[in-house]
Amino acid sequence: MYKIAVLPGDGIGPEVVREGLKVLTAVSSKTDFKMDVETYDFGGERYLKTGEILPDSALDEFRQMDAIYLGAVGHPDVAPGILEKGILLKLRFGLDQYINLRPIKLYPGISTPLKDKGPSDIDFVVVRENTEGLYLGVGGFVKKDTPDEIAVQEMVNTRKGVERCIRYAFEYTKARNKKKKLTLCDKANVLTYAHDLWRRTFAEVGKEYPDVEKDHAFVDATCMWMVKNPEWFDVIVTCNMFGDIITDLGAIIQGGMGIAAGGNINPKGVSMFEPIHGSAPKYTGKNVINPMAAICAAQMMLEHLGEKKASNIVEEAIIKVLASGKMKDLSTRSGLSTSEIGDLVVSYLK
Ligand code: IPM
Ligand code: MN
């Protein structure tokens, strides 16, 4: 019996999470996967009502869970940064979820904006460092609101943080067993300290993985290759900020935010799974948002928990739904409602 903390969050978060849970409940009636769900209402509404964002006591509770399933954070009446830092980043940092794993996979039946590219070309994984870099928030203002203002935000890279991320990426590439190629995406030509550390660590750790091909690409070139030759990639490892940016590009080439999911992984602790789209406030409560990304996140959670059978059943259902042509696209104009899409996935569970 897995204990799952569910944080539906803001905007359309609750609607897509509802469909993900519908699929998980249905698959648990067909397999040995059993879950016990605890729902938490952290998010913009609670913050506006009570001033509470995410107390430390909640983190302690989450540490006792087997996984966390998150919808979305971000509220139009709350200044940018408060909920993102106070909930999402607090969870990632506080639970030491040092990997953000983002598969970029184009499923058959889904169209990509890339000309002449298909599912066999777009199938790679981004391993994004998730606890350091520009996200740590080290810095500050001097002479704020004057013409001489200085704003500094440091890019923090620790040997430990970089090494554990790179090691995870090598292990992941080996286990994935596709092209066995790991690309380090950096900007070592300009960030000659920060990304020199990444280069040296990559070379050193790489010696332990003689069967994995090592490859380098600067982040700007990575963006170009992801569009021009996505088939070159197998696994990409990169820092927090670059990983954030290239995975939005990745989401678009795999069919859009309607399908992109990610896992915030602590290999020895509690991991969290989420659709990577935001809270899309204007669609809140309308039952029009496509929940496929949240359903894909649920599938990643099953896989991470080692529930191979349940995970395969859900992935096969996702593939069949996408190939069925019953959903025109992955946007709000799919021709189906949020709940109808959840029902459709459930109907394909074998
Ligand atoms: C993501 C999001 C977050 C990030 C924001 C909401 C803080 O864009 O998960 O990619 O930048 O990591
Ligand atoms: Mn992002």
Side-chain angles (χ1 to χ4, degrees):
M1 180 73 91
Y2 294 100
K3 282 190 293 176
I4 313 285
V6 175
L7 280 76
D10 301 316
I12 49 91
E15 291 163 68
V16 298
V17 157
R18 180 192 71 211
E19 299 312 311
L21 290 174
K22 188 191 271 179
V23 172
L24 289 172
T25 304
V27 81
S28 78
S29 71
K30 296 181 189 297
T31 61
D32 294 337
F33 167 73
K34 298 288 174 265
M35 63 174 183
D36 183 10
V37 163
E38 186 82 51
T39 306
Y40 296 83
D41 68 349
F42 298 113
E45 294 297 333
R46 175 162 174 160
Y47 171 64
L48 291 169
K49 252 184 252 142
T50 69
E52 183 167 66
I53 305 180
L54 179 73
D56 293 341
S57 59
L59 285 186
D60 292 336
E61 282 182 44
F62 298 157
R63 286 194 188 93
Q64 310 305 315
M65 301 281 177
D66 294 297
I68 303 169
Y69 186 45
L70 176 84
V73 290
H75 193 287
D77 302 333
V78 180
I82 294 180
L83 300 170
E84 291 84 347
K85 280 183 151 179
I87 298 181
L88 192 57
L89 299 188
K90 183 165 177 174
L91 284 163
R92 289 176 181 170
F93 295 172
L95 300 174
D96 206 20
Q97 294 164 340
Y98 62 86
I99 297 297
N100 196 324
L101 194 64
R102 297 190 161 179
I104 313 292
K105 187 176 165 92
L106 178 68
Y107 284 111
I110 298 303
S111 65
T112 173
L114 300 188
K115 190 161 148 273
D116 303 330
K117 300 291 178 190
S120 62
D121 303 303
I122 302 171
D123 183 6
F124 59 94
V125 177
V126 176
V127 174
R128 164 185 174 189
E129 201 290 320
N130 210 31
T131 52
E132 306 194 333
L134 285 166
Y135 275 71
L136 205 56
V138 175
F141 301 107
V142 182
K143 301 182 191 169
K144 195 169 179 204
D145 291 324
T146 75
D148 298 320
E149 174 163 353
I150 303 171
V152 175
Q153 193 144 3
E154 299 279 0
M155 184 185 219
V156 177
N157 296 267
T158 67
R159 169 69 198 213
K160 180 182 147 197
V162 171
E163 183 170 333
R164 66 185 184 174
C165 175
I166 286 176
R167 190 174 298 280
Y168 182 94
F170 272 111
E171 287 292 333
Y172 189 90
T173 309
K174 199 169 122 182
R176 176 171 150 91
N177 202 16
K178 291 259 165 72
K179 292 194 182 78
K180 287 214 181 169
K181 175 177 170 185
L182 179 62
T183 303
L184 172 62
C185 164
D186 63 27
K187 191 72 185 174
N189 51 344
V190 173
L191 304 177
T192 50
Y193 311 123
H195 285 180
D196 188 66
L197 174 60
W198 279 78
R199 287 259 166 145
R200 279 182 282 120
T201 309
F202 187 75
E204 268 173 49
V205 174
K207 286 190 195 126
E208 295 167 36
Y209 300 88
D211 326 338
V212 176
E213 184 190 340
K214 288 112 197 152
D215 178 40
H216 292 89
F218 294 134
V219 63
D220 43 358
T222 302
C223 293
M224 179 175 70
W225 301 130
M226 277 173 68
V227 171
K228 191 168 182 292
N229 299 102
E231 68 278 7
W232 285 0
F233 295 114
D234 179 13
V235 180
I236 298 177
V237 62
T238 192
C239 68
N240 207 341
M241 185 85 258
F242 295 172
D244 176 49
I245 298 167
I246 69 170
T247 54
D248 264 32
L249 177 56
I252 284 301
I253 69 173
Q254 72 177 126
M257 286 297 181
I259 186 90
N264 300 271
I265 313 288
N266 176 341
K268 294 202 179 97
V270 187
S271 299
M272 173 168 74
F273 299 83
E274 52 172 342
I276 82 168
H277 59 63
S279 58
K282 70 175 178 185
Y283 296 115
T284 306
K286 297 204 158 73
N287 203 32
V288 295
I289 279 284
N290 197 316
M292 287 309 275
I295 295 171
C296 290
Q299 184 267 322
M300 282 185 81
M301 180 166 78
L302 291 171
E303 194 178 328
H304 177 82
L305 291 170
E307 292 298 313
K308 200 85 201 96
K309 188 169 173 214
S311 147
N312 286 344
I313 291 175
V314 175
E315 189 176 20
E316 274 160 32
I318 291 170
I319 291 172
K320 284 188 188 131
V321 166
L322 297 174
S324 71
K326 289 183 178 152
M327 210 160 53
K328 284 218 310 290
D329 62 24
L330 294 163
S331 76
T332 51
R333 290 174 305 278
S334 67
L336 296 171
S337 70
T338 309
S339 40
E340 281 170 339
I341 294 172
D343 292 342
L344 193 57
V345 175
V346 168
S347 75
Y348 278 99
L349 294 174
K350 269 273 157 54

